[in-house]
Amino acid sequence: MKKVITYGTFDLFHEGHYKLLQRAKSLGDYLIVGVTTEHFDEARGKVNVIDPIMERIENVKRTGFADEIIVEDHDGQKIEDIQKYGVDIFVLGSDWMGTYDYLKAFCEVVYLERTPDISSTILRNKSFQIVRTGIVGTGRIAPRFVSEAKYVSGIHLVRAFNPEEKSARQFAKRCEIEYDTENYEKFLQKVDAVYIASPNETHYDYTKRALESGKHVLCEKPVAFTRKEAEELYALAKEKQLVLLEAVKTAYCPGFQQLLNVAHSGKIGEIKDVEATFTRLADPKSRERTDAEYGGSFLEFGSYTLLPIIKLLGQNYQALHFNSICNEEGLDLYTKLQLEYPNGMASAKMGVGVKSEGQLVIAGTKGYILAPSPWWLTRRFEVHYENPNQVETYEPNFQGDGLRYEISEFVSKINGINKKDYKLTAGEAITMAAITEEFMKRKHK
Ligand code: C2G
C-alpha cells in the first residue's frame, strides 16, 4: 500500500485545497492530511487564520479524500510523521517548491502545481474589510505600532493626528502618510479606526469622540481614570456596535493565554496569591518621571500588573492598600498595591524610579507558577511543586514585540471574528479603571 502525506492550514477551504487533496490522493492508496494548529500557524507567522481548527478538519474530511487526518503542531513533525506512519510520498503545493527537499532522505517528495487565482489570502481580503487606521499621538509608542502592524493583514495605516505640528510631520514623513494637527473630527472622517497612543490624560476624550464618530478604537492604557468614564466608553462602544480594545498587550499574547489556562487547570490547586512586578527605570527628564499628575509608576505599569491579578482572582476585590515612594512633586517613583479577595490576596509592584525583579508568581495550594521577566510578553514560565526536582517548563510561541497580537485581535474583531471578549473583557477593563480611580484619589489626599 502506497501512503501519501500532505499538510496545510486549509483556512476558508477553497477549490485550490480541494484539487490538491484530490491529486495527492490519486498518487497513492492511502492519504494522510496534517492540519495545522493555531499555535503552529502563529509560530510560522500566519497570525490571521480565520476558521477554527475543528472547522478546518471538518472541511478536509468532507472532501472524502483523506483516509486519516492528523494535527500538525510543531516544527520537525513532518519527519516524525513520515517515519511513524511509514509514508512513501510527501506532497505539497508548488508554492513550497524546494523548501521540503530535505525530506527526500526519508521518502519521495512531490510538489504539485498550485491552482491559479485562488488562495485563502485572496478570500480573506475579499470578505473582510481592510481597516483604514489613523494613529493619534505620534510619540515613542507610535513607531512600534507601525512596524508591528506590517505583520497583520487587513490593516492599513493611512493618517496620523497630533496637535504638535513638528512631531506629526516627522512621523508622517517617516511613514509616508498624511497628517492632521487641528481638526480631530475631520481626521476621524478619513479613517475606519484609530489607535490612540497620545498622553494618558487625553485617552478618554479622544476615545469618546472617535466612538461618537462611529470609529473603532484601540486605545493605549489607561483608557480612563475613573470607573464611570470607563463604563461610559464601553457602553458607548456597545451601543454603536464598535470595537473598543484597551491596548494591554500582554492580554493578547499567546503565552499569557496559556499561562492563565495552566493556572486555571487545577495543576497548582486553588489560586491563593498573585504577585506581579513591573519596573523600568525611566529617564529622569521623561514624561513618566516629570508629569506628577499623569506620569509615575502606577499609571505607567498598573495595567500590566493588574491584568494577571484580575484575570486570576476576579473583579470582586474587598480592599485595596496603596503604598508609594514619591518624589518632591508627589510623583510615585515606586508603588506597591495590595489587594484582598474573599479567598486570596494579591500584590502589584511598579517602578519608574526603583528597580526590582520583574516577575509574576502565582501561588496555589498544590504548587506555584513562576514567570520570569519579561513575563508581560510571556515567553517562558514554570510550574513548581513542593518537590524541588519537579519543575514543568513552558516556552510558548512569541513573535516580534507582542503588539501584533493585539493588532490582529483588533482587526479580527472589526471583521466580526472573535466576537467573544475573553482576553480582556469590558468588565475587567472597567475594574482596572476603578482601581486607577482609587489610586488617584489617595494620591490627592
Ligand atoms: N494550494 C494549492 N492551490 C492554491 C492554494 C493552495 O494547491 N490556489 C495548496 C498549497 O500549496 C498547500 C495546500 O493547498 O499544499 C494547503 O495550503 P494552505 O492552507 O495555504 O497551507 P500552507 O500554509 O501551504 O501549509 O505545514 C504546513 C505546510 O507547510 C503547508
Side-chain angles (χ1 to χ4, degrees), residues 9-10 17 44 46 72 78 93 95-96 100 114-115 118:
T9 305
F10 303 105
H17 296 142
R44 59 191 194 111
K46 266 193 171 180
E72 184 184 30
K78 291 185 174 78
D95 46 329
W96 293 99
Y100 293 103
R114 258 173 84 87
T115 307
I118 178 92

Side-chain angles (χ1 to χ4, degrees), residues 38-272:
E38 273 95 356
H39 275 134
F40 183 53
D41 277 327
E42 265 168 19
R44 59 191 194 111
K46 266 193 171 180
V47 289
N48 53 357
V49 173
I50 288 167
D51 292 337
I53 183 162
M54 292 314 286
E55 204 169 317
R56 293 183 284 117
I57 290 177
E58 208 36 59
N59 288 335
V60 169
K61 205 187 258 171
R62 222 174 280 143
T63 63
F65 298 130
D67 296 285
E68 192 170 344
I69 297 176
I70 60 171
V71 165
E72 184 184 30
D73 71 355
H74 59 272
D75 260 339
Q77 187 182 324
K78 291 185 174 78
I79 298 180
E80 279 165 38
D81 290 339
I82 290 167
Q83 292 177 321
K84 185 158 112 192
Y85 295 101
V87 168
D88 302 289
I89 309 176
F90 170 89
V91 176
L92 221 53
S94 51
D95 46 329
W96 293 99
M97 188 66 79
T99 311
Y100 293 103
D101 285 357
Y102 68 89
L103 295 174
K104 285 181 182 163
F106 302 91
C107 67
E108 191 183 332
V109 174
V110 175
Y111 299 103
L112 293 173
E113 191 67 29
R114 258 173 84 87
T115 307
D117 307 324
I118 178 92
S119 74
S120 306
T121 310
I122 294 176
L123 290 178
R124 271 194 291 264
N125 292 348
K126 253 196 207 148
S127 43
F128 300 106
Q129 175 201 352
I130 300 288
V131 183
R132 291 175 305 146
T133 305
I135 291 199
V136 183
T138 49
R140 272 174 300 157
I141 323 175
R144 276 178 40 214
F145 180 87
V146 178
S147 52
E148 283 283 299
K150 291 201 180 96
Y151 294 91
V152 181
S153 65
I155 184 160
H156 185 204
L157 184 63
V158 291
R159 277 194 110 70
F161 180 84
N162 191 337
E164 278 175 41
E165 157 86 33
K166 194 171 157 219
S167 168
R169 182 166 23 87
Q170 279 173 353
F171 179 81
K173 196 173 161 209
R174 232 173 86 187
C175 301
E176 297 176 328
I177 54 174
E178 301 288 312
Y179 69 94
D180 296 286
T181 56
E182 275 166 18
N183 194 329
Y184 183 55
E185 265 69 28
K186 238 173 149 181
F187 156 82
L188 288 172
Q189 280 167 21
K190 296 168 198 144
V191 299
D192 308 312
V194 286
Y195 167 60
I196 298 174
S198 52
N200 292 340
E201 66 275 21
T202 63
H203 290 173
Y204 164 78
D205 184 55
Y206 278 138
T207 300
K208 189 174 169 188
R209 284 158 69 193
L211 292 172
E212 280 168 349
S213 303
K215 310 300 169 183
H216 304 284
V217 178
L218 174 63
C219 181
E220 270 306 326
K221 62 224 166 311
V223 67
F225 290 126
T226 65
R227 173 187 285 276
K228 197 165 154 271
E229 283 176 355
E231 279 173 348
E232 181 197 342
L233 294 176
Y234 280 95
L236 182 60
K238 196 168 173 202
E239 178 203 319
K240 297 220 160 209
Q241 295 187 318
L242 294 166
V243 177
L244 169 59
L245 276 195
E246 188 169 6
V248 185
K249 67 170 185 270
T250 309
Y252 311 98
C253 287
F256 185 70
Q257 292 297 316
Q258 191 180 14
L259 178 144
L260 294 178
N261 295 341
V262 170
H264 282 307
S265 74
K267 246 178 195 290
I268 60 163
E270 285 167 48
I271 299 166
K272 292 294 179 192

